[in-house]
Amino acid sequence: MYNIVSASSSTMHWTALVEPRSRLKVRIEASSAVSDYCTRVARNINMEKLQYNYLFPEISTKEIEHMRKYPNAKVISLGIGDTTMPIPENVALSMANYAIGLSTPEGYKGYGFEQGNKELRKAIAKTFYKDLEIKDTEVFISDGSQSEISRLQLLLGSNVTIAVQDPSFPAYFDSGVIMGQTGGFDQESGGYGKIEYMRCGPQNNFFPDLYKTARTDVIFFCSPNNPTGHAASREQLEQLVEFAQENGSIIVFDSAYAAYISDESPRSIYEIPGARKVAIEVSSFSKMAGFTGVRLGWTVVPDELLYSNGFPVLHDFNRIICTCFNGASNVAQAGGLACLSPEGFKALHSVVDYYKENAKILVDSFTSLGLRIYGGLNAPYVWVHFPGSKSWDVFSEILEKTHIITVPGSGFGPGGEEFIRVTAFGHRDNILEASSRVTRLLS
Amino acid sequence: MYNIVSASSSTMHWTALVEPRSRLKVRIEASSAVSDYCTRVARNINMEKLQYNYLFPEISTKEIEHMRKYPNAKVISLGIGDTTMPIPENVALSMANYAIGLSTPEGYKGYGFEQGNKELRKAIAKTFYKDLEIKDTEVFISDGSQSEISRLQLLLGSNVTIAVQDPSFPAYFDSGVIMGQTGGFDQESGGYGKIEYMRCGPQNNFFPDLYKTARTDVIFFCSPNNPTGHAASREQLEQLVEFAQENGSIIVFDSAYAAYISDESPRSIYEIPGARKVAIEVSSFSKMAGFTGVRLGWTVVPDELLYSNGFPVLHDFNRIICTCFNGASNVAQAGGLACLSPEGFKALHSVVDYYKENAKILVDSFTSLGLRIYGGLNAPYVWVHFPGSKSWDVFSEILEKTHIITVPGSGFGPGGEEFIRVTAFGHRDNILEASSRVTRLLS
């Protein structure tokens, strides 16, 4: 029978039905053999390669254990990067009006275009790519970056080689594993075979040492970065684009946190000359507009981006969108359009500013303790360095002593070891309380 | 350079930027070479295998040509199966209230569970699977069947063999092609290599001749069927489950049209004893509640469904949902929950009844002409037989003479040749007008 850690015995299955965001409902069920009958379908070998627990469920489990141990503790979660502030009123009203319209003959809409509402595509092109030569026909509306990354993997197929920043958001490499682009997981290195891990840390100003990076077909690159909070500078991104050009690689640039940029760092890869020929950009309303649950994002595929045989990537992507997706919810799209109205855009930026103020409070607290921190300026994440410590140990110590949930950096790859990620999403009161607990603990 | 039909010349690219549901905006662009630079990334060989045009875009193109030719004609579309009637008011109000709530501190929600809102999962289990032993933890909320079928393909991987009904909804085999489960397209047979096509027609009461069907790992089976409108009988589904058990296959049962069943045909595969060990069920609010644009569906993966090594399929599916999806829009889910309230459920069934009345009108018209028709009773599709004729010819003749868009059966596979599909979605006036035009033409 199957063999996963602590998951089998001779007479029963241990069924770990992990429900990541369900704090109290992560259930470890022991049931006597669920079934004697097995199909003859082999388990997908790529699924077998995946490390069993996804990072956030593992943190949830630790949180639950902690709450059992300290039932009266007021736990503050600075773990998962989830928005907490209400969405702007005009955005909510636009969705509400759209929904009400669906119950009327005049307002009813069936299938929309798979690529998204044309007005929204135009508004995105105009708002985010005004002087960057991006046409609305190159903008595809998605239900968020995470789904879209998987669709991009379907587009690219199992024969491509990929590079990821280390540390990085797990969806890039996990989706690559599922697609069969990688080898198995190597416990020693903490990574999957055939993935090029581009180490990013203080030693290289959080930008890969490209001269020692092997060529791959695809380079996943997130800026401002999750988890390090680093926004790549113009010069760094110029190097990246040049590297992709030289290698004939495709950059998948994730700009989900672009709204948090405070300095002159580029907010889009297309600010870099030549990027249209080498880069796809995925982005999202999630962190910019509090749409984590509403689910809305977009992807740009320039028509100049060509496969080695000259075939436009855009054509195949359009086919993927038509066959493997069917458009984002029309109600969510109505909200997205309202976000880009002058009123909506202003309102959502005031929420972003609120989170950035949170980030500053956290940065100041950790800095005042003499710790080296990164991020926070251009991202809602603060990346705290604990040289010589294991990040899971730091996570546990902080949780044990302050009842604060963080994210151990190693969950984002071996390059995250010695770090923890602290999210600036949250209510001000909680951020201030967390700050004061941290200061008390560590000073 | 790339080589697709009518797509290249020595000096320029012809860029067919197909936007399927955009009637007027299917653009065939000629641009001088978009770019001289090609990446070194090879085009995904599976994407190359896909037949270039998806069925519905092709029909859109024909429609546009027709409208150019007859600019004053009142074209009636009985083509794409898109809902046209408003959604129930209480459903719209629930979405509106939920959206408004998102702009308040009390009502704001960030990420939901990837698997979906627990209340909705429970309501689905209770409403559709009450006596069928399906637990809410086996129900996963999706953004619709089409996306979900692709996620199921990711789950199953590229090494499985698949069977599809012929004719069938193209997403099953197209997603299989994209995953690399199939060989290339064979112009002569009209099908892809390595797919087992299960012919379903009047000769076998629209149920596959299982005694001559080769074993495959996965069997996609849609009932009530799109396009034939046939709902498999209990006896037929018992045979199917038995066949899957004998072969150790997994059935992916698509019950998106179950709400249209008028007779005693099973509405779920789990009505058949033993199905929990061999079947996944995908379903949808699209056609039941007019949610084609709202995007909401669900999938059932029973915990007794095991791979050959005993590993529960549910575990891997849960991982796919967490890694490659991030939950359906919370606003859409609020609407889904309202659909399953007594008031909502009653209201949406009155819309279903309206479409069924449409179907009856269409059935009667075609029948009165002496044509053999199928479907219509348990599905919003009427499947009309024109023995000896090519279905694209019939499509063109009907369009030319009556300005009515239908769907040529061959678009659903070679088994659809000689048939056209007529959809019963539409306003009553249009259905009556279409009926009278058809009667005049063919009588």
Side-chain angles (χ1 to χ4, degrees):
Chain A
M1 301 305 270
Y2 68 89
N3 179 28
I4 57 174
V5 182
S6 78
S8 69
S9 79
S10 58
T11 56
M12 55 172 62
H13 295 299
W14 281 88
T15 316
L17 184 59
V18 179
E19 304 202 333
R21 299 207 191 95
S22 171
R23 291 199 179 179
L24 298 170
K25 301 290 177 71
V26 172
R27 304 177 317 142
I28 307 295
E29 289 185 348
S31 61
S32 59
V34 184
S35 174
D36 297 329
Y37 172 88
C38 296
T39 65
R40 279 166 51 200
V41 179
R43 184 182 178 204
N44 182 346
I45 48 167
N46 297 319
M47 295 302 296
E48 281 183 32
K49 291 177 197 161
L50 278 174
Q51 290 305 287
Y52 193 69
N53 272 323
Y54 189 72
L55 174 62
F56 292 103
E58 206 160 315
I59 292 171
S60 282
T61 308
K62 301 266 186 201
E63 187 175 351
I64 291 159
E65 286 166 9
H66 185 77
M67 285 162 75
R68 284 205 187 115
K69 192 169 161 192
Y70 300 103
N72 297 319
K74 191 195 161 207
V75 173
I76 297 177
S77 178
L78 304 179
I80 185 169
D82 192 8
T83 48
T84 50
M85 298 300 290
I87 62 175
E89 210 168 76
N90 85 305
V91 173
L93 274 173
S94 295
M95 288 198 279
N97 286 333
Y98 190 93
I100 296 289
L102 292 176
S103 67
T104 66
E106 311 75 41
Y108 182 73
K109 301 278 181 200
Y111 286 119
F113 301 133
E114 295 91 338
Q115 302 85 356
N117 170 338
K118 280 175 183 292
E119 266 189 280
L120 180 56
R121 298 170 79 187
K122 279 183 186 162
I124 287 171
K126 195 177 147 197
T127 307
F128 301 107
Y129 305 103
K130 197 171 175 203
D131 299 315
L132 303 179
E133 294 178 68
I134 298 297
K135 299 186 283 274
D136 57 319
T137 51
E138 297 169 322
V139 175
F140 294 77
I141 309 302
S142 75
D143 61 336
S145 295
Q146 193 155 342
S147 309
E148 197 75 325
I149 287 163
S150 276
R151 284 190 288 267
L152 286 170
Q153 296 283 24
L154 276 172
L155 169 81
L156 296 161
S158 55
N159 290 327
V160 297
T161 51
I162 66 170
V164 297
Q165 287 159 292
D166 176 22
S168 82
F169 180 49
Y172 308 129
F173 49 82
D174 278 351
S175 60
V177 174
I178 291 170
M179 271 308 289
Q181 294 161 352
T182 76
F185 188 77
D186 176 25
Q187 291 294 347
E188 199 167 322
S189 71
Y192 292 94
K194 287 178 68 184
I195 291 184
E196 178 72 13
Y197 289 90
M198 305 182 295
R199 191 60 72 98
C200 295
Q203 71 287 357
N204 55 13
N205 193 17
F206 293 96
F207 188 75
D209 300 318
L210 295 176
Y211 64 91
K212 51 180 179 182
T213 300
R215 185 217 171 253
T216 57
D217 291 313
V218 182
I219 301 167
F220 287 98
F221 197 93
C222 178
S223 176
N225 188 265
N226 175 8
T228 70
H230 178 78
S233 68
R234 189 168 305 273
E235 197 193 340
Q236 287 178 334
L237 291 183
E238 281 167 0
Q239 287 173 36
L240 182 69
V241 167
E242 193 186 338
F243 180 76
Q245 285 169 333
E246 278 167 8
N247 287 296
S249 305
I250 294 175
I251 299 166
V252 175
F253 188 80
D254 186 342
S255 66
Y257 297 95
Y260 289 83
I261 291 178
S262 302
D263 63 16
E264 294 303 305
S265 306
R267 289 162 189 241
S268 164
I269 191 69
Y270 303 115
E271 292 186 33
I272 309 303
R276 282 180 57 84
K277 296 181 182 179
V278 294
I280 290 169
E281 183 163 303
V282 293
S283 202
S284 171
F285 285 85
S286 289
K287 308 301 165 79
M288 173 176 75
F291 269 33
T292 46
V294 173
R295 311 303 310 138
L296 196 70
W298 72 88
T299 297
V300 178
V301 184
D303 58 18
E304 289 173 35
L305 180 67
L306 307 178
Y307 288 118
S308 55
N309 66 349
F311 192 87
V313 174
L314 184 143
H315 288 207
D316 277 350
F317 186 66
N318 189 62
R319 183 64 196 266
I320 289 283
I321 290 302
C322 294
T323 304
C324 306
F325 184 51
N326 220 330
S329 176
N330 50 16
V331 185
Q333 292 191 68
L337 197 56
C339 286
L340 304 184
S341 70
E343 182 191 353
F345 206 57
K346 194 176 156 199
L348 61 88
H349 274 282
S350 81
V351 178
V352 166
D353 288 342
Y354 177 93
Y355 293 135
K356 282 166 76 171
E357 186 63 27
N358 283 350
K360 192 168 178 309
I361 292 167
L362 292 168
V363 165
D364 290 347
S365 307
F366 285 105
T367 307
S368 73
L369 297 168
L371 289 164
R372 292 301 299 270
I373 67 95
Y374 305 92
L377 174 68
N378 291 322
Y381 298 123
V382 180
W383 188 239
V384 191
H385 199 181
F386 292 86
S389 297
K390 290 274 181 196
S391 59
W392 271 111
D393 293 344
V394 176
F395 167 90
S396 297
E397 191 183 343
I398 292 177
L399 179 57
E400 183 68 26
K401 296 190 175 161
T402 69
H403 308 303
I404 295 171
I405 302 284
T406 58
V407 184
S410 63
F412 299 100
E417 196 55 284
E418 301 191 354
F419 289 85
I420 57 158
R421 190 193 79 175
V422 183
T423 170
F425 296 118
H427 294 287
R428 183 63 45 80
D429 290 351
N430 281 336
I431 298 290
L432 289 170
E433 168 68 18
S435 257
S436 104
R437 287 190 201 170
V438 164
T439 314
R440 277 201 306 274
L441 163 71
L442 299 171
S443 60
Chain B
M1 300 304 272
Y2 67 89
N3 180 28
I4 56 174
V5 181
S6 77
S8 70
S9 79
S10 59
T11 56
M12 55 171 61
H13 295 298
W14 282 87
T15 316
L17 184 59
V18 179
E19 305 202 333
R21 300 207 190 95
S22 171
R23 291 200 178 178
L24 298 170
K25 301 290 178 69
V26 173
R27 304 176 318 142
I28 307 295
E29 287 185 351
S31 61
S32 60
V34 184
S35 174
D36 298 329
Y37 171 88
C38 296
T39 65
R40 281 166 50 201
V41 179
R43 186 182 176 204
N44 182 346
I45 49 167
N46 297 318
M47 295 302 296
E48 281 183 32
K49 291 176 197 160
L50 279 174
Q51 289 306 286
Y52 193 69
N53 273 322
Y54 189 72
L55 174 62
F56 292 103
E58 207 161 315
I59 292 171
S60 281
T61 308
K62 301 267 186 201
E63 186 175 351
I64 290 159
E65 286 167 8
H66 185 77
M67 286 162 75
R68 284 203 187 116
K69 192 169 162 192
Y70 300 103
N72 298 318
K74 192 196 160 208
V75 173
I76 297 177
S77 178
L78 304 180
I80 185 170
D82 192 8
T83 48
T84 50
M85 298 300 290
I87 62 175
E89 211 170 74
N90 84 306
V91 173
L93 273 173
S94 294
M95 289 198 279
N97 285 333
Y98 190 93
I100 295 290
L102 292 176
S103 67
T104 67
E106 311 74 42
Y108 182 72
K109 301 278 181 201
Y111 285 120
F113 300 133
E114 294 91 338
Q115 302 85 357
N117 170 337
K118 280 176 183 292
E119 266 189 280
L120 180 57
R121 298 170 78 187
K122 278 182 187 162
I124 288 171
K126 194 178 148 197
T127 307
F128 301 107
Y129 305 103
K130 197 170 175 204
D131 300 313
L132 303 178
E133 294 178 68
I134 298 297
K135 300 186 281 276
D136 57 321
T137 51
E138 296 170 323
V139 176
F140 294 78
I141 307 303
S142 76
D143 60 335
S145 295
Q146 193 155 342
S147 308
E148 197 75 324
I149 286 162
S150 276
R151 284 190 288 267
L152 286 170
Q153 296 283 24
L154 276 171
L155 169 81
L156 296 161
S158 55
N159 290 327
V160 297
T161 50
I162 66 171
V164 298
Q165 287 159 292
D166 176 23
S168 82
F169 180 49
Y172 308 129
F173 50 83
D174 278 351
S175 60
V177 174
I178 290 170
M179 270 309 287
Q181 294 162 350
T182 76
F185 188 78
D186 177 26
Q187 291 293 347
E188 200 168 322
S189 71
Y192 292 94
K194 288 178 65 183
I195 292 185
E196 178 71 14
Y197 289 90
M198 305 183 294
R199 191 61 71 98
C200 296
Q203 72 286 358
N204 56 13
N205 193 18
F206 293 96
F207 187 76
D209 300 319
L210 295 175
Y211 64 90
K212 52 180 178 180
T213 299
R215 186 220 170 248
T216 57
D217 291 312
V218 182
I219 302 167
F220 286 98
F221 198 93
C222 178
S223 175
N225 188 265
N226 176 8
T228 70
H230 178 78
S233 68
R234 190 168 305 272
E235 195 192 342
Q236 287 178 333
L237 291 184
E238 281 167 359
Q239 287 172 36
L240 182 69
V241 167
E242 193 186 339
F243 181 75
Q245 284 169 333
E246 278 166 9
N247 287 295
S249 305
I250 294 175
I251 299 166
V252 175
F253 189 80
D254 186 342
S255 65
Y257 297 96
Y260 289 82
I261 291 178
S262 303
D263 63 15
E264 293 304 305
S265 307
R267 288 161 190 241
S268 164
I269 190 68
Y270 303 116
E271 292 187 31
I272 309 303
R276 281 180 57 84
K277 296 181 182 180
V278 295
I280 291 168
E281 183 162 302
V282 292
S283 203
S284 171
F285 285 86
S286 289
K287 307 302 165 79
M288 172 176 76
F291 268 34
T292 45
V294 174
R295 312 302 311 137
L296 196 69
W298 72 88
T299 298
V300 178
V301 184
D303 58 18
E304 288 173 37
L305 180 67
L306 306 178
Y307 288 118
S308 56
N309 66 349
F311 191 87
V313 174
L314 184 144
H315 287 207
D316 276 351
F317 187 66
N318 189 62
R319 183 63 195 266
I320 289 283
I321 290 302
C322 293
T323 304
C324 306
F325 185 51
N326 220 330
S329 177
N330 49 17
V331 185
Q333 292 191 67
L337 197 56
C339 285
L340 305 185
S341 69
E343 183 190 352
F345 206 58
K346 193 176 158 199
L348 60 88
H349 275 281
S350 82
V351 178
V352 166
D353 287 342
Y354 178 93
Y355 292 136
K356 282 165 76 171
E357 185 64 27
N358 283 351
K360 191 167 180 310
I361 292 166
L362 292 168
V363 166
D364 290 348
S365 306
F366 285 105
T367 308
S368 74
L369 297 168
L371 289 164
R372 292 301 298 269
I373 67 94
Y374 304 91
L377 174 69
N378 291 322
Y381 298 123
V382 180
W383 189 238
V384 191
H385 200 182
F386 292 86
S389 298
K390 290 275 182 195
S391 60
W392 271 110
D393 293 345
V394 177
F395 166 90
S396 297
E397 190 183 345
I398 291 177
L399 179 58
E400 183 68 26
K401 295 190 175 159
T402 69
H403 309 302
I404 295 171
I405 303 284
T406 58
V407 184
S410 63
F412 300 99
E417 196 56 283
E418 301 190 353
F419 289 86
I420 57 159
R421 189 193 80 175
V422 183
T423 169
F425 296 118
H427 294 287
R428 183 64 44 81
D429 291 352
N430 282 336
I431 298 290
L432 289 170
E433 168 67 19
S435 257
S436 105
R437 287 189 201 171
V438 164
T439 314
R440 277 201 306 273
L441 163 71
L442 299 171
S443 60

